[in-house]
Amino acid sequence: MQFLSLIARNRLAAAGGIVLVIVIALALISPLLPLPDPDVTDTANRFLLPGAEGHLLGTDHLGRDLAARLMDGTRLSLAVGFAAAFFAAFFGAAIGIIAGYFGGRTDNLIMRAVDMLMAFPYILLALAIVAALGPGLVNALIAVAAVNIPFFARNIRGVTVGLANKEFVDAARLAGLGHTRIILTEILPNVIPVIVIAMSTTIGWMILETAGLSFLGLGSQPPQADLGSMLGEARGALITNPHTSIVPGAMILVIVMGINLLGDGVRDALDPRLRSGALTRPMAATQVRRKGPVPASEDAEAVLELQGLQTQFHVKDRIYKAVGGVSIKVAPGECLGVIGESGSGKSVTALSVMGLVASPPGVITGGAARYKGEDLVGAPYDHLRRLRGDRVAYIFQDPLATLHPLYKVGDQLAEAILVHHKVGKAEARRRAVDLLKQVRIPNAQSRADSYPHEMSGGMRQRVGIAMALANDPDVIIADEPTTALDVTVQAQILSLLNDLRRERGLAIVFITHDFGVVAQLCDRVAVMYAGRIVETGPTEAVLDAPAHPYTARLIACVPELGGGRRRLEAIPGLPPAVDRLEPGCAFAPRCLKAQDACRQGEIPLEGPGAREVRCLYPETELKSEGVA
Amino acid sequence: MSAVLKLDGLAKSFPVGKRLLGAPRGLVHAVQPVDLVVAQGETLGIVGESGCGKSTLARMLVGLLPPSEGTIEINGAPLDNADPAEFGKKIQYVFQDPISSLNPRKTIRQVMEAPLKRLHGLDRAQREKRISEIFASVNLREEFLDRYPHEFSGGQAQRIGIARALAAEAKILILDEPVSALDVSVQAQVLNLLADLKAKLGLTYLFISHDLAVVEAVSDRVAVLYFGSVVEVGRAEDIFRAPRHPYTQLLARSAPVVGRALSAPEGKETELPDPLNPPAGCAFKARCPRATEECGQRVPKLEGDAAHRVACFHPLEG
């Protein structure tokens, strides 16, 4: 149902589908229509024009009724096209799945054979097959199907290779399934959408190819009509009686267009990437629809200050409150840790600052994000673009995904500099090498000419940091920059970041889920849960005596090295879905201390001095000496 | 305690630069010969950084990869054919990524039924009963059975993965980074569940992880892997507190710990040696502060008493 509504939304595909349905319906009911016999010749009435009495579309060179032949031919061409597509898909998919699943030498032999088939121009190959088998519609069908097998085989093999290495296939083998069962029950169901997509986009071609063979007299034999043979027979009278060519020609055009439009629609509707909206281009900056007033700047010293920032995702009729009013600030040279589990809104908070949350579906609905006092929410795109990467830079978790695989890292760094500064290419290159040295990449001069895949994970993340430093920013927002790295490499990256902020007075917002990392690097920490900050304060104070039950229990459930073998204090339940938050404290359903009061109304984030907690019954009473 | 799992010189090398016919251009030794014994009811932790061969070792143990050399013995009987279905009844595997280890187009019931049907040949009523039992033991509701994998959170999916491994009734479970894809609060739930199941069902675990703290918290003994070799094996409470191999010490010092000042324990560029062109002697010598000439000449053997073994010519005082 969802599939049909997706196709209906695509107007071109819907139009193609409607045209196709009409053509097929006409072709199917044509035997019931009061049409003359398509094969009866009547040379006295040859080349009658369309509209002639008893001959709606006129007659051909033997005086046969064109309308009847057209319907007959359409039925035949459609049947041959669909049959050829089905056989090509069946055998192609079988070959592709076997090659992709077994891999190794089997794959090599099969695919080289397929490559050899593909090396022939397809029409020549089809001609050769028909020449060997003899002319006739069935042989033309075989030829067209055979010629298209390589296309399916290659497509399906590619998909299967990806699937065959998936963990669920390994799991099936461990569950005792044999190869045949794995192919039929694990691989095939995941491949079928690809087969359907490939079929929907090739049926049109197959009809054209069959028509081509018939046109050359190798397909349907007289007096039987198909669209190609009708065109072939009309060729002699192309100039004198063009209507005999135009009628079948127009029908081929209509059918192939209809099928291709519908096929594209089917592909778009079935492809999971397209369905999730991957191809809907996000806007250059996150949409802003602020409802309340913009809060005034409170802290002149903070280089970055978020005030009650709210970011939501509007998906169909649901509203996900990913960030539900977050206020944080960082001073120059300060490192703020933002800690939280997945879905707590920590990354969305970070991306909202520079309007980098994809819109749609992201919308900033309230609050302000101030860089040196100036509100960036809703700032013109040109202004945001000047600041992005220049004054406020990001480091992401996976440097392999953020570096362009086809450019040398030195060139990518130079580009980052050239975007914001008017310097020569040589100067940009010199600065790029300098940056690589600053992040302690050995042999920076030669490493600048490496491609990202030639570097290890740790080296790539250094390049990511160099990129962030390229324009000497005031703020770096690092989103889990060491999560994908090994511990020995992580230790180096952390100490590098620490040195940089001390040397340059950088403000760092460090997003992580690891208390150990926060403890070592950050001056202050903010703990997020369900889109809001539940506790904040100086790192040491928060970690030593957490005030919010969530912080306390999160710390308790992480094993710490040196603690020996033990049972962990797990938090039961799951974090709440942010599209249906209950009133009161979001942690209440999982909290052992929750009272009725916790489930009612807004609980403020408050406390004396530097420490603040959003809890009615905190673990420790906050005292004002916590002021940093 | 008796040994349930014994690895004798188990090694894996992969050919590189394959040609259509004839011998490959070279071999990468992903796992150097490994000897390990796992006792009944024990949890053996295996730690190492990316590329050290942990996952290759794990895949050999469950028969997903045929070993190049060496043997695997379970309860004294050698397992020499690389047939996962044979292995499946004795040793099972819990995958790192819980979602991708479940076929997106199968319901959980279909996933759970496969091992019961194929490995144990149970009929419908028996399967129904077993699934209820297993689901109860991993704290999953039976209404989940008719749903598809994408409807589950990571923690729930990982519990389904554990339930599937339990369905095979193997007594040995290989846990390959079972919690690294999970959030910390959920991670603790799964680790505790694993501990409960082990006690209740008398299981033996091989727990593979890159997270030293997690490994320390769940293991009886820990083996440290570097560049395809075991460099140190010892009791979990000792190995990171008093490491004897310099690499173990480096790992322990690199792990971020609350209350310890930030310092890079290692100044130079740290990369694993090139597997295509492995160094002579000890693989760690280029990064090792204690390396001497001897380390470049011979490969140190894993030596020591039963409780603590180390492969180093100049071990630290434990």
Side-chain angles (χ1 to χ4, degrees):
Chain A
M1 269 305 91
Q2 192 202 358
F3 172 71
L4 282 182
S5 77
L6 273 169
I7 289 203
R9 261 211 315 228
N10 183 338
R11 270 192 220 154
L12 280 174
I18 291 168
V19 168
L20 202 60
V21 166
I22 293 173
V23 169
I24 292 175
L26 274 179
L28 287 180
I29 61 163
S30 65
L32 307 174
L33 297 179
L35 288 168
D37 186 322
D39 296 337
V40 170
T41 57
D42 177 11
T43 38
N45 287 322
R46 58 204 292 259
F47 292 130
L48 287 183
L49 287 174
E53 169 131 36
H55 301 289
L56 186 63
L57 294 175
T59 56
D60 70 358
H61 65 293
L62 295 174
R64 295 176 291 197
D65 182 57
L66 266 180
R69 286 183 74 74
L70 184 72
M71 286 301 118
D72 225 33
T74 303
R75 199 165 61 234
L76 202 59
S77 284
L78 282 172
V80 171
F82 278 95
F86 175 78
F87 286 118
F90 181 84
F91 290 108
I95 291 172
I97 288 178
I98 288 170
Y101 176 74
F102 290 102
R105 202 151 284 175
T106 318
D107 181 28
N108 225 326
L109 289 174
I110 292 180
M111 291 324 286
R112 291 304 81 77
V114 166
D115 285 347
M116 273 187 254
L117 267 184
M118 285 198 103
F120 291 100
Y122 73 92
I123 195 76
L124 275 188
L125 188 62
L127 285 174
I129 296 173
V130 176
L133 297 175
L137 202 53
V138 175
N139 292 344
L141 189 156
I142 293 173
V144 170
V147 163
N148 281 287
I149 284 176
F151 168 78
F152 282 93
R154 291 179 70 110
N155 252 328
I156 302 303
R157 175 197 168 262
V159 181
T160 311
V161 167
L163 288 170
N165 294 321
K166 280 269 165 72
E167 294 183 330
F168 66 78
V169 174
D170 284 342
R173 291 171 68 192
L174 292 172
L177 268 64
H179 290 312
T180 322
R181 276 220 164 73
I182 290 181
I183 287 178
L184 290 179
T185 69
E186 306 286 329
I187 306 270
L188 191 62
N190 288 291
V191 169
I192 279 181
V194 185
I195 299 179
V196 172
I197 290 167
M199 269 178 78
S200 67
T201 48
T202 45
I203 289 179
W205 273 110
M206 307 236 189
I207 291 175
L208 277 184
E209 284 162 17
T210 327
L213 288 177
S214 292
F215 177 81
L216 298 174
L218 299 170
S220 73
Q221 298 301 307
Q224 194 182 36
D226 84 341
L227 294 175
S229 65
M230 283 174 75
L231 263 184
E233 286 162 2
R235 183 178 43 172
L238 184 63
I239 306 296
T240 49
N241 291 289
H243 73 275
T244 50
S245 309
I246 289 172
V247 167
M251 183 54 101
I252 291 180
L253 181 78
V254 166
I255 291 176
V256 174
M257 280 256 288
I259 288 180
N260 285 351
L261 289 176
L262 180 66
D264 286 351
V266 168
R267 185 194 58 206
D268 292 356
L270 276 181
D271 194 324
R273 281 177 309 148
L274 301 175
R275 192 159 46 189
S276 64
L279 285 196
T280 51
R281 275 169 60 106
M283 288 190 242
T286 310
Q287 237 180 6
V288 177
R289 283 206 296 264
R290 276 193 286 204
K291 298 205 180 77
V294 179
S297 177
E298 285 161 15
D299 190 336
E301 275 175 33
V303 60
L304 186 71
E305 185 184 17
L306 305 189
Q307 298 165 299
L309 187 72
Q310 294 184 22
T311 306
Q312 304 180 341
F313 291 100
H314 295 192
V315 183
K316 288 188 191 151
D317 46 358
R318 289 206 172 158
I319 294 179
Y320 295 84
K321 293 177 183 162
V323 180
V326 164
S327 304
I328 52 176
K329 57 191 173 195
V330 256
E334 190 183 33
C335 179
L336 171 74
V338 178
I339 206 161
E341 298 182 86
S342 51
S344 63
K346 53 193 196 306
S347 294
V348 180
T349 305
L351 292 174
S352 301
V353 173
M354 283 281 128
L356 290 171
V357 178
S359 277
V363 186
I364 296 177
T365 51
R370 297 184 184 278
Y371 163 73
K372 290 192 172 166
E374 169 204 6
D375 188 11
L376 300 178
V377 173
Y381 171 62
D382 277 339
H383 186 62
L384 271 183
R385 212 183 73 131
R386 271 203 301 281
L387 290 176
R388 282 179 185 174
D390 187 39
R391 301 292 88 220
V392 180
Y394 284 84
I395 305 171
F396 295 99
Q397 177 172 345
D398 181 5
L400 193 57
T402 45
L403 292 172
H404 197 295
L406 297 183
Y407 293 98
K408 294 170 182 166
V409 295
D411 295 344
Q412 297 189 48
L413 275 171
E415 191 195 2
I417 297 166
L418 287 170
V419 167
H420 293 287
H421 296 276
K422 283 204 173 72
V423 292
K425 278 220 167 120
E427 169 65 11
R429 161 89 188 180
R430 198 191 55 73
R431 285 200 208 175
V433 172
D434 235 28
L435 284 165
L436 291 177
K437 280 186 191 146
Q438 283 172 34
V439 294
R440 311 213 188 96
I441 288 185
N443 307 326
Q445 194 73 40
S446 63
R447 274 298 193 178
D449 290 323
S450 300
Y451 290 95
H453 72 267
E454 295 172 328
M455 309 180 112
S456 67
M459 282 295 142
R460 281 198 291 264
Q461 194 55 291
R462 278 166 211 251
V463 175
I465 294 174
M467 187 91 81
L469 292 174
N471 297 299
D472 211 355
D474 299 314
V475 186
I476 284 189
I477 300 177
D479 191 353
E480 306 246 14
T482 59
T483 306
L485 304 177
D486 283 325
V487 275
T488 54
V489 183
Q490 166 172 292
Q492 294 176 332
I493 297 285
L494 291 180
S495 74
L496 173 67
L497 279 174
N498 198 35
D499 292 349
L500 287 170
R501 80 167 162 123
R502 300 212 186 280
E503 285 162 19
R504 299 185 171 211
L506 264 175
I508 299 180
V509 178
F510 196 97
I511 297 166
T512 181
H513 63 273
D514 189 331
F515 281 105
V517 171
V518 167
Q520 292 193 318
L521 185 68
C522 302
D523 308 307
R524 287 189 300 119
V525 61
V527 181
M528 284 190 73
Y529 188 77
R532 316 187 81 175
I533 291 177
V534 294
E535 177 165 11
T536 177
T539 309
E540 214 173 312
V542 172
L543 293 185
D544 283 351
H548 198 284
Y550 174 65
T551 318
R553 301 196 48 195
L554 194 60
I555 293 174
C557 74
V558 184
E560 195 175 299
L561 194 63
R565 193 191 161 99
R566 66 207 166 273
R567 199 174 169 79
L568 302 166
E569 298 297 326
I571 309 176
L574 293 171
V578 287
D579 60 330
R580 31 173 203 275
L581 287 174
E582 304 285 327
C585 173
F587 187 62
R590 302 171 78 187
C591 185
L592 299 174
K593 300 167 75 180
Q595 311 282 326
D596 284 344
C598 297
R599 300 190 179 88
Q600 286 155 14
E602 173 79 17
I603 298 163
L605 179 71
E606 59 189 5
R611 283 196 73 180
E612 288 176 320
V613 62
R614 194 187 295 277
C615 183
L616 297 176
Y617 308 100
E619 303 278 308
T620 47
E621 214 44 58
L622 298 183
K623 296 182 209 89
S624 50
E625 70 230 28
V627 182
Chain B
M1 287 209 281
S2 57
V4 288
L5 179 66
K6 189 162 175 255
L7 318 182
D8 202 359
L10 197 67
K12 179 73 194 175
S13 44
F14 292 105
V16 282
K18 269 195 215 168
R19 289 179 263 201
L20 188 56
L21 299 167
R25 279 168 239 273
L27 288 175
V28 167
H29 296 277
V31 176
Q32 311 274 2
V34 168
D35 302 307
L36 277 177
V37 175
V38 188
Q40 166 66 39
E42 186 185 33
T43 298
L44 175 69
I46 295 182
V47 292
E49 296 183 279
S50 50
C52 73
K54 323 187 272 289
S55 287
T56 309
L57 180 65
R59 290 171 64 83
M60 278 196 283
L61 289 177
V62 287
L64 288 173
L65 266 183
S68 311
E69 285 168 49
T71 54
I72 303 166
E73 276 181 28
I74 292 180
N75 292 322
L79 269 179
D80 42 15
N81 67 334
D83 176 11
E86 266 313 295
F87 277 73
K89 281 189 248 181
K90 299 185 168 124
I91 188 163
Q92 273 289 342
Y93 195 81
V94 175
F95 294 86
Q96 171 173 2
D97 184 343
I99 302 281
S100 81
S101 72
L102 298 170
N103 188 340
R105 291 179 186 272
K106 277 188 161 184
T107 62
I108 303 309
R109 186 185 300 280
Q110 290 173 307
V111 168
M112 288 296 296
E113 285 198 324
L116 296 173
K117 207 155 44 175
R118 303 287 152 223
L119 293 175
H120 296 285
L122 300 185
D123 65 31
R124 181 179 273 276
Q126 287 170 311
R127 290 200 299 262
E128 195 93 349
K129 191 164 153 280
R130 266 303 279 155
I131 291 176
S132 308
E133 285 170 17
I134 296 165
F135 259 49
S137 68
V138 296
N139 309 326
L140 284 171
R141 293 201 293 275
E142 279 182 55
E143 66 191 66
F144 288 174
L145 283 169
D146 296 309
R147 297 196 193 162
Y148 285 90
H150 69 264
E151 299 174 53
F152 294 98
S153 71
Q156 289 168 330
Q158 192 56 292
R159 260 182 272 176
I160 293 167
I162 293 169
R164 171 175 57 192
L166 292 179
E169 287 189 57
K171 289 294 174 197
I172 308 171
L173 290 194
I174 311 287
L175 306 159
D176 188 0
E177 304 261 13
V179 294
S180 60
L182 307 179
D183 268 321
V184 283
S185 73
V186 180
Q187 166 178 319
Q189 294 172 4
V190 172
L191 290 176
N192 286 342
L193 171 68
L194 285 170
D196 294 343
L197 289 171
K198 187 177 132 173
K200 201 164 82 182
L201 304 172
L203 302 174
T204 304
Y205 289 159
L206 232 78
F207 193 101
I208 298 170
S209 179
H210 68 282
D211 189 329
L212 306 188
V214 166
V215 165
E216 188 194 54
V218 301
S219 306
D220 298 299
R221 285 191 306 143
V222 175
V224 180
L225 232 60
Y226 183 73
F227 197 57
S229 307
V230 176
V231 295
E232 186 168 3
V233 194
R235 297 199 309 155
E237 55 266 47
D238 298 335
I239 196 157
F240 300 122
R241 185 182 50 78
R244 301 204 61 212
H245 197 285
Y247 175 64
T248 316
Q249 185 189 40
L250 172 68
L251 277 183
R253 286 195 182 162
S254 302
V257 171
V258 177
R260 186 164 70 193
L262 183 65
S263 67
E266 199 178 20
K268 1 176 206 186
E269 178 178 0
T270 66
E271 293 199 37
L272 283 173
D274 181 4
L276 276 173
N277 185 18
C282 175
F284 188 62
K285 67 170 188 295
R287 295 167 71 179
C288 183
R290 302 166 76 91
T292 60
E293 210 173 306
E294 189 186 11
C295 303
Q297 286 158 355
R298 290 184 298 126
V299 180
K301 290 207 166 50
L302 196 60
E303 284 164 342
D305 53 19
H308 206 133
R309 291 190 296 158
V310 60
C312 184
F313 293 122
H314 312 290
L316 302 152
E317 300 303 321

